[in-house]
Amino acid sequence: MSKTIVIDPVTRIEGHAKISVFLNEAGAVDQAQFHVVEYRGFEKFCEGRPFTEMAGITARICGICPVSHLICSAKTGDKILGVNIPIAADKLRRLMNLAQITQSHALSFFHLSSPDLLLGWDSDPAKRNIFGLIAADPDLARAGIRLRQFGQRIIEILGGRKIHAAWTVPGGVRSPLDETGRRWIIERLPESFNTIHQALDIFKRLITGPMQEEVKVFGEFPSLFMSLVSPEGEWEHYGGHLRFTDSEGNVVADGLSEDHYSDFLGEAVEDWSYLKFPYYKARGYPDGIYRVGPLARLNTCDRIGTTAGDQELQAFRDYAGGIPTSSFLYHYARLIEILACLEKIQALMDDPDLSSTRVRAEAGVNVLNGIGVSEAPRGTLFHHYQVDDDGLIKKVNLIIATGHNNLAMNKTITQIAQHYIHGEDIPEGFLNRVEAGIRCYDPCLSCSTHAIGQMPLHIRLVKPDGTLAHEIYRH
Amino acid sequence: MAVDLEPKRLTQPNRPQSPQILVIGYGNTLRSDDGVGYRIAETVSSWRLQGIEGWPCQQLTPELAAAIAPVQQVIFVDAAIATSTTVPLVTCKRLQPDSDSTFTTHTAIPAALLGLTQWLYEVAPIAHQLAIPAVNFDLGETLSPIAQVGQTQALEQLKGLCQNVSFFERSCS
C-alpha cells in the first residue's frame, strides 16, 4: 500500500514549508516534494511605488538578509538612473555585503545547523537546539553569537541601524565609513578570524569522522552551478558576470549578463508549490537543474583571491577529490566564505576610498527597464523593475536564491528519504535528517508574519484513498 | 556525542551605558498588524527618555541576548492573533527564562531568548510580554483599527512604566 508522509512545517528554516514523502506499493520511497505553502506576493505589492523606495520595501521582506535586497535593489536603481556609481560607493556596498554574508552564514552554522552537527541526529529533540549546543560547548556558542554580532555591527556602522538600513540607494550610498567605525572593525577582526578557524577545524573533523555518511547522502548528485565571478574568474559577491559550471568543473557558460537572464534562465511552475522552479534553459526542465549559494560560488570560481581563502578552497577541493557536489558541503563552503569575507573586509580597512565623501551619483530616470544582480548569502539574487517616465514601478520580478535551489532541494530530500526510509517505520532521526537536508541550503522562504506562537512539526501519514493513517505533532 | 549538561558560565557583557528598561518590539511592517510591535518600539525610541530604550526588529535573534543581559527589565512587544469578536485588550504577562524551547529565528519566542541570556550570561532581567491584538496579516503597511487601539494602549502602559515601574507591574498582574 502506498503512503504519503507529510512533514509540516519544516523547522529551523527561514519561513514556512512542508515536506511530503511518497511511498510506492513496495514501501520504498518513490519521490519527495518540498512544498512552499505561503504565497508572498511582494511583486504585486510594489507596483505603483517609486523605484527609489524599492530598496526600503524589499529589505523588509526579510529580517535576516535585508542587506541583500538593499544592494540588489540599489544596483537595479543604478541601471534606471543610467549611472556609474563612484568607486567609493562600490567599495562601501561591497563592505556591507561582506558583513551581511558573514552574519548570515554565522547564524546558519552556529545556531541553526550546529545543534544537528554537534549533538547528533538521534539526540533528544528537546536538547538538540542552541541550548544543547551551549551545554556542549558554551564558548563556541558564544563565539558564534559574537561573530554574527560582528557582521551586524558593521552593517549598523555603515547604515545607522542593524536592519532595513536605507543607506544603499540608487546611485551609490548615503555616507562613507567613519574613522571610529573603521577602528572598531579592525579591533574585532582577530577574534572573528579565530572563531572561524575553530569552526573550520570542527567541521573538517566531522566530515572525516562521524558525518561521512551525510556527505554521501545529503544531496550528493551532479548538477550545474551558477554564480557571479569577477572578470578574472575570482570569487565574487557583488559585481562581475554570471558563470555556469558543471560537476566536473567545466565552464558551461561564461560572461553572462543579468540583463539577459530570461535568455538563459527558465522558470517552471508546479501545482504543489508556490515557489517556482528555475532551470538553465539550454538543458531544459528539469535537466537544467543548477545550484546557487556558497557551494556554487566556490565551484564556479577559479580562485577566491585571498591568501587563507585560497588555501581553504584548495583543501576543500582536495577533500572532495575534485569539484565538491554534496549539498552537505554547503556548511563547509559557508565557513570558507566567512573566512574569505573577513580577509576582504580586512583588506578594505586599508583602502582610503572608504572615507571618500564622493559616494553618490545623482540623476533622474533615464532607463525604463532595469535588472540588478548580486550574491546574497544563500545565492544569486535578481531584481527586475520596469518603470514609467516618472519612475513609478509598473512591473517587478524578484528571483531569489531559494528559488534557484528549488529543484536541488527536492532532489536532496528524495535522496535522503530513499536512503533512510525502509518500510513504514519513521524514526525521529529520519525526520531530523530530512529537515537538515533542507537546511543545508539555508532556505529563506517567506520571511513574513511572526505573531506570537510556536511553529509545530506536523507529520501526517496519508493512505492512497486520502484517509489518515497516522498523525504526529512535535511542539 | 555526549552532552555536558552542566554548562560552563560566561561573563556578562560589559555595557555601562545600557538602559534600565529595554522595549523590544518585533514583527514585519510589510505585513500590516504584524508590524505593530516594531512600530511601538520605534515610538518608544523616539521618546528619547533616559533609562528606557526602544529596540525595533523584525525577528528575535540570538545576539539580542547580549543586549538583554545588562538591563534591569525587558519588555517584548508583539502582535497576537485576536481571538474574540469583542474589542480585545492588550495583554501583559510575566516571562520566565525557558531553556527547553527550540531557539530559531522565525520561531524564536521571548522566553527562549531569556533562557539563552540566562545560560550565556548567568543573568536574566525581569521580563514581560505585551501582546497587541491583531487581525490582519496580509501585505500592507497600515494597522487595523483593533491594532491601532492596541498600539495606543500599549504606549500608555509603557509611558506608565517610565513614570512608575510598580504601576506597570500591577497592570501586568
Side-chain angles (χ1 to χ4, degrees):
Chain A
M1 178 186 295
S2 64
K3 287 183 177 176
T4 304
I5 303 167
V6 180
I7 304 172
D8 177 17
V10 178
T11 55
R12 263 185 285 152
I13 59 174
E14 310 299 334
H16 300 154
K18 69 175 181 179
I19 292 169
S20 298
V21 181
F22 299 97
L23 306 180
N24 61 23
E25 298 293 334
V29 172
D30 185 42
Q31 189 190 9
Q33 291 179 345
F34 177 60
H35 312 258
V36 174
V37 294
E38 184 172 295
Y39 179 65
R40 298 196 316 173
F42 285 113
E43 285 94 339
K44 199 74 184 166
F45 180 73
C46 296
E47 290 178 6
R49 309 289 286 260
F51 80 98
T52 50
E53 288 184 6
M54 285 300 291
I57 293 173
T58 55
R60 284 186 284 159
I61 291 174
C62 177
I64 300 298
C65 48
V67 169
S68 307
H69 285 292
L70 279 171
I71 286 175
C72 196
S73 182
K75 287 187 72 178
T76 312
D78 299 341
K79 295 272 189 73
I80 290 171
L81 297 178
V83 297
N84 288 320
I85 68 171
I87 186 67
D90 182 280
K91 291 178 180 177
L92 286 159
R93 284 182 184 176
R94 284 176 177 275
L95 176 58
M96 185 175 259
N97 206 33
L98 292 166
Q100 160 75 356
I101 293 170
T102 300
Q103 66 88 7
S104 179
H105 283 1
L107 180 73
S108 172
F109 182 80
F110 289 97
H111 301 292
L112 305 187
S113 298
S114 283
D116 291 333
L117 303 177
L118 299 178
L119 304 179
W121 311 109
D122 301 311
S123 60
D124 180 359
K127 301 294 180 190
R128 196 181 54 250
N129 53 36
I130 185 65
F131 299 107
L133 177 64
I134 290 167
D137 195 338
D139 292 336
L140 181 70
R142 184 169 182 250
I145 286 177
R146 285 180 63 81
L147 183 60
R148 180 168 150 80
Q149 268 182 332
F150 175 70
Q152 290 281 74
R153 178 72 182 133
I154 294 175
I155 293 167
E156 191 178 10
I157 286 169
L158 291 170
R161 54 202 295 191
K162 276 188 271 308
I163 61 170
H164 309 159
W167 170 80
T168 308
V169 292
V173 300
R174 291 192 188 279
S175 54
L177 175 67
D178 65 27
E179 183 56 23
T180 306
R182 194 181 74 88
R183 283 183 187 165
W184 185 90
I185 294 168
I186 290 170
E187 194 176 299
R188 275 288 287 269
L189 269 167
E191 177 189 326
S192 300
F193 275 117
N194 189 43
T195 298
I196 199 60
H197 282 302
Q198 280 183 42
L200 273 164
D201 287 344
I202 289 169
F203 194 79
K204 287 175 186 173
R205 287 200 297 272
L206 286 172
I207 56 174
T208 53
M211 292 279 172
Q212 293 182 64
E213 182 174 278
E214 283 74 8
V215 177
K216 294 173 186 163
V217 175
F218 283 40
E220 171 60 280
F221 52 81
S223 76
L224 299 176
F225 298 96
M226 181 187 80
S227 82
L228 291 171
V229 293
S230 77
E232 297 77 29
E234 290 187 347
W235 180 88
E236 181 56 85
H237 62 99
Y238 173 82
H241 60 263
L242 290 157
R243 173 186 280 182
F244 279 88
T245 58
D246 65 18
S247 294
E248 284 73 49
N250 302 308
V251 175
V252 174
D254 203 4
L256 299 171
S257 166
E258 68 272 17
D259 292 339
H260 308 293
Y261 76 90
S262 60
D263 291 345
F264 53 87
L265 291 183
E267 290 186 282
V269 176
E270 298 284 1
D271 60 8
W272 44 267
S273 178
Y274 277 120
L275 194 60
K276 291 177 183 175
F277 292 79
Y279 60 97
Y280 179 57
K281 265 188 178 175
R283 299 258 172 117
Y285 178 79
D287 293 340
I289 178 174
Y290 63 93
R291 283 176 272 189
V292 300
L295 181 67
R297 286 191 288 260
L298 293 194
N299 284 347
T300 56
C301 73
D302 301 330
R303 59 194 168 276
I304 289 179
T306 62
T307 305
D310 276 327
Q311 287 171 357
E312 290 295 343
L313 178 62
Q314 190 57 52
F316 185 54
R317 291 175 177 173
D318 289 346
Y319 160 78
I323 297 299
T325 52
S326 168
S327 291
F328 192 73
L329 298 176
Y330 266 94
H331 298 301
Y332 193 172
R334 228 164 254 131
L335 297 177
I336 295 172
E337 285 204 323
I338 292 176
L339 177 61
C341 286
L342 295 177
E343 287 184 286
K344 286 179 179 285
I345 289 170
Q346 187 173 45
L348 281 169
M349 291 304 99
D350 296 327
D351 193 325
D353 283 340
L354 265 65
S355 57
S356 167
T357 54
R358 294 183 186 278
V359 292
R360 189 172 182 180
E362 304 279 355
V365 174
N366 289 305
V367 180
L368 301 183
N369 187 54
I371 299 169
V373 65
S374 65
E375 288 290 337
R378 294 160 181 84
T380 316
L381 174 64
F382 291 88
H383 280 207
H384 182 184
Y385 309 155
Q386 291 174 35
V387 301
D388 65 16
D389 290 334
D390 297 319
L392 300 180
I393 295 287
K394 291 169 66 180
K395 192 174 178 185
V396 171
N397 189 26
L398 308 178
I399 307 181
I400 60 170
T402 301
H404 293 298
N405 281 331
N406 202 3
L407 276 171
M409 287 191 290
N410 278 276
K411 197 160 185 171
T412 297
I413 59 168
T414 297
Q415 188 177 51
I416 293 170
Q418 286 172 337
H419 186 83
Y420 290 106
I421 289 185
H422 303 288
E424 296 179 8
D425 257 356
I426 308 166
E428 168 71 24
F430 162 71
L431 298 177
N432 299 333
R433 286 178 171 93
V434 168
E435 290 186 88
I438 293 296
R439 281 201 296 274
C440 290
Y441 298 89
D442 193 21
C444 183
L445 301 174
S446 61
C447 304
S448 54
T449 55
H450 191 180
I452 289 169
Q454 276 189 286
M455 185 190 290
L457 182 65
H458 183 194
I459 306 140
R460 298 176 73 229
L461 295 177
V462 183
K463 296 177 183 174
D465 62 4
T467 58
L468 200 62
H470 196 191
E471 193 170 29
I472 303 169
Y473 288 90
R474 187 173 75 191
H475 294 286
Chain B
M1 184 180 296
V3 174
D4 176 7
L5 294 177
E6 191 59 41
K8 303 179 187 85
R9 299 301 184 188
L10 301 170
T11 309
Q12 187 176 345
N14 179 23
R15 291 190 65 199
Q17 295 177 338
S18 297
Q20 291 176 300
I21 303 163
L22 183 62
V23 177
I24 298 176
Y26 57 104
N28 189 334
T29 54
L30 276 185
R31 288 284 186 172
S32 304
D33 290 355
D34 192 59
V36 67
Y38 187 104
R39 293 173 193 280
I40 287 169
E42 270 190 325
T43 303
V44 171
S45 182
S46 71
W47 290 344
R48 299 185 182 279
L49 293 175
Q50 194 171 11
I52 184 168
E53 183 177 319
W55 191 310
C57 55
Q58 194 154 330
Q59 288 127 314
L60 299 182
T61 47
E63 69 274 10
L64 280 171
I68 289 171
V71 306
Q72 291 176 11
Q73 186 165 5
V74 60
I75 299 162
F76 297 94
V77 188
D78 193 10
I81 297 169
T83 54
S84 170
T85 52
T86 59
V87 176
L89 298 171
V90 171
T91 58
C92 180
K93 68 174 181 180
R94 180 78 182 262
L95 297 173
Q96 298 296 332
D98 178 3
S99 61
D100 289 330
S101 300
T102 298
F103 194 97
T104 71
T105 51
H106 279 254
T107 60
I109 60 172
L113 186 55
L114 281 176
L116 183 66
T117 308
Q118 177 78 59
W119 275 83
L120 284 171
Y121 302 112
E122 286 191 287
V123 63
I126 297 166
H128 292 88
Q129 181 164 35
L130 282 182
I132 316 299
V135 292
N136 178 19
F137 295 89
D138 291 336
L139 281 168
E141 296 176 288
T142 57
L143 299 178
S144 68
I146 286 175
Q148 286 180 39
V149 170
Q151 182 182 30
T152 304
Q153 287 178 3
L155 287 169
E156 284 173 2
Q157 280 185 273
L158 291 167
K159 272 184 185 163
L161 170 65
C162 299
Q163 293 157 357
N164 187 338
V165 173
S166 61
F167 167 80
F168 182 80
E169 290 282 348
R170 283 199 303 277
S171 72
C172 284
S173 59

